Amino acid sequence: MDFQSLKNTDVKGKIVLLRADLNVPASEGNITDTTRIDRLKPTIDFLTAQGAKTLILSHFGRPKGVTPEFSLKFMLPALEKSWGVKVGFADDCIGALAEAAKAALQNGAVTLLENVRFHPEEEKNDASFTKQLAALGDIYCNDAFSAAHRAHASTEGLAHFLPACAGFLMEAELNALTAALENPSRPVMAIVGGAKISTKLSVLDNLVRKVDYLFLGGGMANTFMYAQGIEVGKSLCEKDMADEARKIMATAKAANCEILLPTDRVTITEFRENAPFEIYAAADMPAEREAVDVGPATIEMMKEKLANCKTVLWNGPLGVFEVKPFDKGTNGAADTVAALTKAGKIVSVAGGGDTVSALEHAGCADDFTYVSSAGGAFLEWMEGKPLPGVEALSSQKKAA
Ligand code: AMP
């Protein structure tokens, strides 16, 4: 991926429009997870140390026009705490208020502009809105990988109106993802879990063309097992997706990708925390039971296969990890990948949906090589789709 890095961009005294993703989880005005904010610190440190004048653009939630509950203002204390700098605020991202904030900016100062989605033109990637944003700055720095699957004014459009570069978080995400899928050390194993295959068909279809092993867990493994005539009992299973599962298996075979399915399963008859469970080999699953996790033999099988792998890419939990003890399969697999990563034997990259919380729950998130803070963008990248925000950065570099 060819793009201009912030590292090599002369920002001293320049006004940098920094697209960040401050769409953080919050409840009643409190930010419940500051990961996305904390990960922007290297970019903020660089911009302030270099004497840039930084104007931050971000969306938050899905407001319909100006909607006070989606204002970004409440996050100023959290930004200042995480970044260790004073952060100013303007009540609009364009027009007189934004212009006044721009005029007041000193070298090394940081100001946050109000939610870009208060203007419906943002999501339409409207050219005249984008020009108004562009008029505020000298340089566009995109550090919002997690919003790069959207072709909006502040995530894509601006790269066509200003010299553009990738911030450090964007760069770290792209380097990690490239190392895992585009240019990985082989063999590569993709571990995919989660509830349903219907939401991840394109992900699976792309992965089997690129990886050496595809390990399937979670509810979606049941659909693949059902498609092979294996009993799934009362487990979550999309029977109408059996043909799609068979197609993916055929594509995998043609591409020399081995699909690994659970060899044993943790089963219950009544779903609740600490419900009594029994473990059955895949072939022996009784019709009246429900599989809610992969069993210990499956984790052993995964371990054996992983011993020969150099790269692991992970999305989705292997069981109903939110309810104990059905987190054991996910935890066991996470421990295994974390230990191999710590031993320097594999590169491990994880992300998308519930994956981050599953790895945090397992206490392993810090031991992976890289855990992406992106949800939808990570999944679209796993599908092999071009991400408009990233494409715009690299096409500008090519044109330069
Ligand atoms: P996804 O968003 O597709 O990654 O799915 C995540 C959800 O899949 C989590 O909430 C898990 O509880 C659920 N899940 C994982 N394994 C199973 C299973 N065997 N049966 C039902 N749900 C599952």
Side-chain angles (χ1 to χ4, degrees):
M1 190 67 63
D2 194 17
F3 50 83
Q4 168 81 18
S5 166
L6 174 60
K7 209 168 40 234
N8 308 318
T9 306
D10 179 12
V11 294
K12 189 172 167 35
K14 305 256 175 67
I15 301 178
V16 176
L17 281 182
L18 173 66
R19 180 46 160 105
D21 186 354
L22 300 177
N23 191 30
V24 288
S27 145
E28 293 171 6
N30 293 312
I31 296 173
T32 51
D33 180 355
T34 58
T35 307
R36 282 188 176 166
I37 295 173
D38 300 338
R39 287 188 175 192
L40 289 161
K41 187 167 167 30
T43 294
I44 299 289
D45 282 351
F46 181 85
L47 290 170
T48 52
Q50 297 285 315
K53 300 171 175 179
T54 304
L55 287 177
I56 301 178
L57 297 168
S58 179
H59 73 285
F60 178 60
R62 297 184 174 204
K64 298 268 171 277
V66 178
T67 323
E69 68 256 41
F70 291 112
S71 170
L72 297 175
K73 201 169 186 175
F74 82 98
M75 35 180 102
L76 291 178
L79 303 184
E80 291 182 344
K81 184 166 173 228
S82 172
W83 301 340
V85 291
K86 184 158 174 24
V87 181
F89 187 75
D91 285 297
D92 200 352
C93 66
I94 52 165
L97 295 170
E99 289 293 342
K102 165 186 164 174
L105 266 184
Q106 304 291 318
N107 285 7
V110 179
T111 286
L112 173 64
L113 302 180
E114 184 56 288
N115 197 336
V116 281
R117 288 196 186 164
F118 280 5
H119 296 271
E121 297 87 349
E122 157 70 5
E123 290 179 71
K124 295 184 185 134
N125 205 354
D126 175 85
S128 78
F129 174 72
T130 314
K131 277 187 203 158
Q132 290 183 70
L133 289 176
L136 293 170
D138 304 310
I139 293 169
Y140 168 59
C141 176
N142 189 350
D143 215 13
F145 174 80
S146 43
H149 55 315
R150 312 263 185 236
H152 294 171
S154 68
T155 60
E156 197 273 345
L158 274 172
H160 303 291
F161 290 96
L162 285 175
C165 64
F168 297 133
L169 177 54
M170 168 74 89
E171 202 173 339
E173 292 267 2
L174 291 175
N175 287 342
L177 302 192
T178 305
L181 201 56
E182 309 312 330
N183 196 13
S185 297
R186 291 191 177 273
V188 186
M189 181 187 291
I191 300 173
V192 182
K196 296 181 170 181
I197 74 163
S198 51
T199 56
K200 293 189 190 169
L201 275 180
S202 345
V203 169
L204 298 174
D205 184 63
N206 185 43
L207 287 179
V208 292
R209 296 164 200 269
K210 294 196 169 164
V211 304
D212 304 288
Y213 301 101
L214 172 64
F215 176 96
L216 291 171
M220 72 173 61
N222 296 324
T223 305
F224 277 83
M225 293 167 108
Y226 172 79
Q228 291 185 326
I230 300 171
E231 176 66 67
V232 295
K234 295 200 158 56
S235 312
L236 176 67
C237 175
E238 294 172 282
K239 295 188 173 165
D240 55 340
M241 284 283 145
D243 279 345
E244 295 292 346
R246 281 189 280 264
K247 266 190 224 159
I248 289 167
M249 288 190 275
T251 309
K253 197 165 177 210
N256 255 332
C257 166
E258 187 181 349
I259 294 189
L260 306 169
L261 289 168
T263 53
D264 63 342
R265 289 178 285 177
V266 176
T267 70
I268 54 167
T269 50
E270 178 203 359
F271 184 69
R272 63 177 161 83
E273 179 134 347
N274 293 320
F277 62 86
E278 285 171 13
I279 296 171
Y280 285 94
D284 303 332
M285 171 92 183
E288 73 283 2
R289 300 189 72 88
E290 175 188 352
V292 284
D293 196 9
V294 297
T298 301
I299 298 301
E300 279 309 308
M301 176 270 285
M302 178 197 266
K303 261 187 202 169
E304 277 166 31
K305 296 284 182 185
L306 277 175
N308 144 47
C309 288
K310 297 219 167 62
T311 305
V312 173
L313 176 63
W314 185 336
N315 170 265
L318 306 186
V320 188
F321 76 101
E322 301 93 334
V323 180
K324 279 182 187 301
F326 312 120
D327 55 347
K328 273 197 178 163
T330 304
N331 294 350
D335 282 344
T336 305
V337 173
L340 289 168
T341 310
K342 277 203 278 188
K345 295 197 169 135
I346 56 167
V347 166
S348 53
V349 175
D354 276 352
T355 317
V356 181
S357 55
L359 296 184
E360 275 167 359
H361 174 89
C364 292
D366 292 341
D367 297 327
F368 275 54
T369 311
Y370 195 79
V371 177
S372 173
S373 51
F378 186 89
L379 279 175
E380 290 200 17
W381 166 79
M382 278 184 57
E383 287 175 26
K385 280 193 190 161
L387 304 179
V390 175
E391 294 285 299
L393 286 181
S394 64
S395 64
Q396 197 194 63
K397 178 76 198 290
K398 276 188 208 119

